[in-house]
Amino acid sequence: RYGLLPFEDYLAQVNDDMMVIIQIEHIEAVKDIDNIVSVPGVDSITVGPFDLSLSMNLPGQFSHPDVIGAIEAIFRAGIKKNIPVGNSMGFDPVMVKKWIDLGLSWLSCGDDWEILMENSKKILDEIRAIALQ
């Protein structure tokens, strides 16, 4: 709730409201996923698909069976420990259905960089239209 509360109130409660989401981004982490999900205090798990695929020498090949298998291993490990799992790759409806059917708890449809770029472009366009005439 940063920015929604007076700053002093935010500071007083931020630690109580903090959520710890770990993002698995490397094949070595996948190999050790059972130990990782056993760390106390993990509230949710997600995957960094591009970095994961890169660490597997399959950059950007999100539909490659090995990448899908690694992502599934991450999700299954979290689900087995009753830790909510989520995915930020909500672009392919077929894969979204696969992850939901597996037991996904949450889904983010869009990337942070994409949202930042779109808003930055909008602001820049407004500045150009008004201030730079």
Side-chain angles (χ1 to χ4, degrees), residues 9-26:
D9 295 341
Y10 169 78
L11 288 177
Q13 72 179 47
V14 67
N15 287 331
D16 294 334
D17 294 341
M18 190 66 60
M19 183 175 191
V20 176
I21 303 173
I22 60 172
Q23 183 163 315
I24 307 299
E25 297 187 307
H26 200 279

Side-chain angles (χ1 to χ4, degrees), residues 29-43:
V30 177
K31 292 175 184 176
D32 200 31
I33 194 65
D34 289 329
N35 287 326
I36 292 170
V37 298
S38 295
V39 173
V42 174
D43 295 309

Side-chain angles (χ1 to χ4, degrees), residues 25-95:
E25 297 187 307
H26 200 279
I27 192 61
E28 292 303 317
V30 177
K31 292 175 184 176
D32 200 31
I33 194 65
D34 289 329
N35 287 326
I36 292 170
V37 298
S38 295
V39 173
V42 174
D43 295 309
S44 187
I45 300 167
T46 190
V47 61
F50 187 78
D51 289 333
L52 176 61
S53 70
L54 190 62
S55 76
M56 299 173 73
N57 294 317
L58 299 165
Q61 296 181 46
F62 308 126
S63 60
H64 190 284
D66 291 345
V67 176
I68 291 172
I71 293 171
E72 188 170 325
I74 294 164
F75 292 159
R76 286 190 184 282
I79 291 166
K80 182 178 173 183
K81 285 285 197 175
N82 293 318
I83 298 172
V85 296
N87 193 351
S88 61
M89 282 186 49
F91 309 116
D92 178 350
V94 173
M95 289 308 298

